[in-house]
Amino acid sequence: MNVYTKKELTLLETPFDDIRRKMDLLLLLGQLLMENGANTNQILRDMLRAAAYMGINENLVHVHISYTTIMLNISDDSHAYTVFRKTLHHGVNMTTLSVLSKLTWKALEQSFTLDEFEKRLRTIAETPPRYPHGLLNIAAGFACGAFALLFGGTILSAWVTTLCAIIGFFVRTLCNRWEVNIYISIMAAAFAATTSAYLLHTLFASDAMIYAMISCTLFMIPGVPLINAVDDMINNHIMAGMTRAMNTFLIVGSMTVGITMALYFDRLSNFTSLSILPGQLYPLQLAASVVGAIGFSIIFNIPYRLLPLVGMGGLIAVAIRNTLLVYLGFSLPGATFLATAIISICALKASRYFRTAAPVLSIPSVIPLIPGVLLYRFLFGIVTINTLDTESLLHALRSGVTGITTIICIAIGVSIPHILASRYLDRAKHQRLLHLLQDRGAGHP
């Protein structure tokens, strides 16, 4: 543990001492959280904790968060400072989120100087992703192949799905490297993956290949933005949640356009009415849930040591949901909600032992429950509305309602620990924070 000099301790106990630097670091922390997939509650919580470490009382801190901008104001009766920071891109990096959350606590526990805090924060900002692009490509392919099995496909259709998803992921990577518009990139990747699946579907002439056509683009399903959008709105961060929801809608819409373009000449396949619910519980589905959860965990860049734990979480989530669907007659939203809630409570408990944030464990574990097919089945129905009869249109609308309801259930399920025990959790963290602040200067010269 470091020992503060008098000058360093004064800096960290006087709110407006070197305020410009402090605000710059707080905004950098918020920017990194936003760009790597944190929800608004997590951003606010970590920024306020870092401000407390810097000697700035939370009553002096005012933060406004939109999807592209973070505004920070620190003021009292005689001072007022306001700064903005743009969030340049949005992705998912669970390792970064976990490390940033730990940093704010370590700064207090290990008595970091402001120089050391800044050095570590900027090191995190410059750290490249944990997994190389090649491994991400393979992980995306296997995750989509697992979805094909979860939907009832065969081993052959899973391998075809894996190949087609790898092709689609490669196309999206090229588009991103060439700085193509994000939605055009998604459209191109969806077109490439679905075209490959359609060509292989005609080659093998097997009905099971249709599962490849509906699963090969699911690596692009914005599961984390979907969950964050609902989480923000139910926690009264309406504008941020609505913006996330609109971005999610545009991503799914871009996927739908790419898929529609690929299937324009296909007059035989009709995946809009294909059932994606299990008829019975197969061991192969449980194995697929493990592969799917680990595949998405790699895409989300979670720490290596947590991959087996998340794989087990995915297995438990799918096993609970499918058991409720098949044997107890639950609806898809109801079964998904219970499975997600159980996983979230287990993740909260496990996060203490594995020293990580609970969402790092819970979100990748429940991603295999995302009803992505229902969402873009709905949009596909809207795009082809001129060719739909009344029954098909109603089916598309029903898919959309069921899919959105299921997403809301997943988001609420992930938030269950905080919803049920928010006062206890917040009070415990606040007491811990006060204790560390009181002890910080005890050993200074």
Side-chain angles (χ1 to χ4, degrees):
M1 178 178 289
N2 296 326
V3 177
Y4 291 114
T5 66
K6 184 175 182 180
K7 179 179 179 181
E8 291 166 343
L9 187 62
T10 301
L11 176 63
L12 293 176
E13 288 187 341
T14 308
F16 294 96
D17 194 358
D18 205 358
I19 187 63
R20 297 289 186 181
R21 181 186 179 194
K22 291 179 179 179
M23 295 181 75
D24 180 64
L25 294 177
L26 290 175
L27 284 176
L28 177 58
L29 174 65
Q31 178 188 355
L32 291 174
L33 289 166
M34 173 66 81
E35 292 181 348
N36 288 285
N39 60 45
T40 302
N41 266 347
Q42 182 178 355
I43 297 171
L44 289 172
R45 185 172 59 247
D46 286 3
M47 288 183 69
L48 289 175
R49 189 186 304 136
Y53 152 75
M54 297 175 185
I56 306 172
N57 189 283
E58 64 177 15
N59 295 325
L60 306 180
V61 182
H62 312 280
V63 184
H64 174 75
I65 297 174
S66 68
Y67 190 65
T68 58
T69 307
I70 300 176
M71 182 180 75
L72 174 64
N73 171 268
I74 298 178
S75 59
D76 62 7
D77 294 337
S78 55
H79 303 83
Y81 300 90
T82 302
V83 288
F84 297 81
R85 177 68 61 90
K86 285 288 185 182
T87 52
L88 303 178
H89 64 272
H90 295 83
V92 181
N93 189 324
M94 294 290 186
T95 294
T96 298
L97 298 185
S98 180
V99 171
L100 288 172
S101 182
K102 288 180 182 179
L103 176 64
T104 57
W105 286 115
K106 283 184 177 180
L108 287 163
E109 293 172 344
Q110 301 180 18
S111 300
F112 286 178
T113 64
L114 194 61
D115 289 336
E116 188 171 0
F117 180 82
E118 179 176 7
K119 179 181 178 181
R120 296 201 179 204
L121 184 61
R122 296 195 183 280
T123 298
I124 294 171
E126 297 167 1
T127 301
R130 183 178 297 270
Y131 300 98
H133 281 293
L135 182 56
L136 291 176
N137 201 336
I138 295 172
F142 276 95
C144 291
F147 267 108
L149 293 174
L150 288 172
F151 295 157
T154 63
I155 294 291
L156 177 60
S157 66
W159 281 112
V160 170
T161 302
T162 300
L163 174 61
C164 297
I166 289 175
I167 293 172
F169 192 94
F170 178 73
V171 169
R172 191 180 69 168
T173 300
L174 285 181
C175 290
N176 291 339
R177 188 175 300 167
W178 297 334
E179 299 184 353
V180 178
N181 176 274
I182 179 176
Y183 303 114
I184 301 298
S185 300
I186 292 170
M187 190 186 306
F191 176 81
T194 308
T195 299
S196 303
Y198 171 64
L199 293 176
L200 291 172
H201 175 45
T202 58
L203 175 64
F204 286 102
S206 170
D207 291 338
M209 288 301 104
I210 198 170
Y211 288 99
M213 297 171 65
I214 68 172
S215 303
C216 63
T217 59
L218 292 183
F219 67 89
M220 291 181 287
I221 283 290
V224 173
L226 277 170
I227 293 172
N228 284 345
V230 179
D231 183 274
D232 281 357
M233 286 189 278
I234 65 177
N235 284 289
N236 209 32
H237 303 295
I238 305 298
M239 291 303 298
M242 290 181 64
T243 308
R244 290 181 193 267
M246 179 55 67
N247 178 64
T248 298
F249 179 82
L250 290 173
I251 291 174
V252 177
S254 300
M255 291 171 56
T256 304
V257 172
I259 293 167
T260 304
M261 291 169 59
L263 299 179
Y264 182 78
F265 298 103
D266 181 12
R267 305 302 181 187
L268 299 177
S269 301
N270 182 21
F271 66 83
T272 59
S273 60
L274 185 68
S275 174
I276 64 168
L277 301 180
Q280 54 184 308
L281 200 60
Y282 292 110
L284 187 60
Q285 292 174 341
L286 300 181
S289 66
V290 175
V291 174
I294 292 178
F296 276 103
S297 296
I298 293 174
I299 296 174
F300 295 161
N301 201 58
I302 77 166
Y304 301 118
R305 62 188 177 87
L306 299 179
L307 289 177
L309 189 63
V310 172
M312 183 60 64
L315 185 151
I316 295 172
V318 171
I320 294 173
R321 184 200 63 180
N322 288 3
T323 299
L324 295 174
L325 284 172
V326 175
Y327 299 112
L328 298 179
F330 274 63
S331 65
L332 179 61
T336 302
F337 170 75
L338 284 178
T340 305
I342 291 171
I343 290 299
S344 299
I345 293 171
C346 293
L348 179 63
K349 196 70 175 178
S351 64
R352 299 180 182 180
Y353 295 101
F354 291 92
R355 299 185 63 82
T356 189
V360 174
L361 299 175
S362 62
I363 291 180
S365 296
V366 303
I367 285 296
L369 305 180
I370 292 286
V373 173
L374 294 179
L375 295 176
Y376 73 70
R377 176 190 291 173
F378 164 68
L379 290 177
F380 184 83
I382 296 301
V383 169
T384 59
I385 192 170
N386 290 332
T387 64
L388 296 181
D389 55 26
T390 303
E391 183 179 353
S392 297
L393 178 59
L394 288 175
H395 183 74
L397 293 175
R398 191 181 302 115
S399 296
V401 172
T402 303
I404 293 171
T405 304
T406 304
I407 290 297
I408 294 173
C409 288
I410 291 175
I412 296 175
V414 168
S415 304
I416 276 291
H418 187 76
I419 292 173
L420 296 181
S422 58
R423 290 187 179 180
Y424 170 77
L425 294 173
D426 292 344
R427 184 167 58 249
K429 289 182 179 180
H430 185 66
Q431 290 298 325
R432 180 186 177 192
L433 179 62
L434 291 178
H435 176 73
L436 291 171
L437 288 172
Q438 291 170 358
D439 290 350
R440 178 166 64 185
H444 79 279

